[in-house]
């Protein structure tokens, strides 16, 4: 059982910046993401595409944004749990018990769900088999 102040579900830009703000107020976070890398949609879907709508950054790519967010939270030394999906949340007295598909268990009074559009999975093309006549 891993005990922590906050479990952040999702290591996309929202989860990363949220963890930064939690670190600033002195809370310890464990960050879980289903993907094998940090950065959510920005790194998985458009690492090379330019982004123009980040305050104070005229232009950057999805990868550069991700790298900057990672750099920003480095001082807090938070643990990342990648390739792992949060599957179940249950309440036990004052705490949440967070269970993942790999079997990890966290005990925490706070959970931040920064899951964006959800955990990514390949979508199968919906073909049908032809019927034999
Ligand atoms: C092609 C494209 C171009 C875009 N261009 C721009 C742009 O130029 N400017 C802009 O502002 N926005 C842009 N966006 C939108 C932007 O990427 C999203 O708004 C942003 O990524 C949302 O961040 P997020 O952290 O909330 O969610 P996400 O980036 O979706 O990250 C959520 C993370 O949570 C994880 N997760 C979800 N559920 C679980 C679970 N149960 N357990 C573990 N992990 C979980 C996912 O694996 C994912 O990594 C674009 C989006 C796309 C697809």
């Amino acid at each position: 059982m891993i005990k922590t102040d906050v479990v952040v579900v999702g290591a996309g830009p929202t989860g990363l910046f949220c963890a930064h703000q939690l670190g600033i107020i002195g809370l310890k976070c464990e960050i879980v993401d289903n993907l094998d890398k940090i950065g959510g949609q920005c790194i998985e879907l458009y690492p090379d595409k330019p982004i123009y709508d980040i305050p104070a950054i005229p232009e950057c790519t999805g990868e550069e944004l991700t790298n900057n967010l990672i750099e920003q939270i480095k001082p807090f030394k938070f643990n990342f749990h990648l390739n792992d999906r949060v599957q179940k949340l249950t309440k036990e007295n004052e705490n949440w018990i967070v269970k993942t598909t790999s079997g990890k268990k966290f005990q925490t009074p706070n959970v931040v769900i920064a899951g964006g559009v959800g955990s990514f999975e390949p979508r199968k093309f919906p073909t049908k088999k032809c019927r034999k006549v």
Side-chain angles (χ1 to χ4, degrees):
M1 181 86 82
I2 300 168
K3 293 184 181 177
T4 185
D5 296 323
V6 189
V7 170
V8 178
V9 184
T14 307
L16 293 174
F17 192 65
C18 186
H20 175 263
Q21 295 296 293
L22 293 165
I24 293 238
I25 59 170
L27 297 177
K28 173 101 183 70
C29 298
E30 300 284 328
I31 305 169
V32 186
D33 202 296
N34 193 46
L35 292 176
D36 60 356
K37 49 179 115 41
I38 300 167
Q41 292 176 51
C42 301
I43 203 73
E44 184 71 0
L45 301 180
Y46 59 98
D48 300 326
K49 187 186 84 68
I51 304 173
Y52 301 104
D53 55 358
I54 307 297
I57 301 176
E59 184 184 337
C60 69
T61 63
E63 186 174 19
E64 284 165 348
L65 176 69
T66 301
N67 289 341
N68 282 338
L69 287 163
I70 293 170
E71 195 60 34
Q72 202 173 20
I73 61 168
K74 248 188 200 157
F76 303 115
K77 299 187 171 68
F78 293 146
N79 295 321
F80 284 92
H81 306 266
L82 300 177
N83 274 320
D84 209 358
R85 184 193 317 208
V86 170
Q87 197 179 17
K88 200 171 180 189
L89 291 179
T90 45
K91 198 85 201 264
E92 223 173 64
N93 302 319
E94 295 302 302
N95 287 307
W96 292 98
I97 304 299
V98 181
K99 289 185 187 163
T100 70
T101 44
S102 78
K104 277 184 192 158
K105 261 178 154 187
F106 300 87
Q107 187 190 69
T108 179
N110 306 292
V111 178
V112 170
I113 299 179
V117 290
S119 55
F120 298 151
E121 277 176 15
R123 280 193 208 157
K124 285 188 180 160
F125 192 62
T127 49
K128 286 182 183 164
K129 280 188 177 171
C130 63
R131 283 191 304 169
K132 283 183 186 160
V133 279

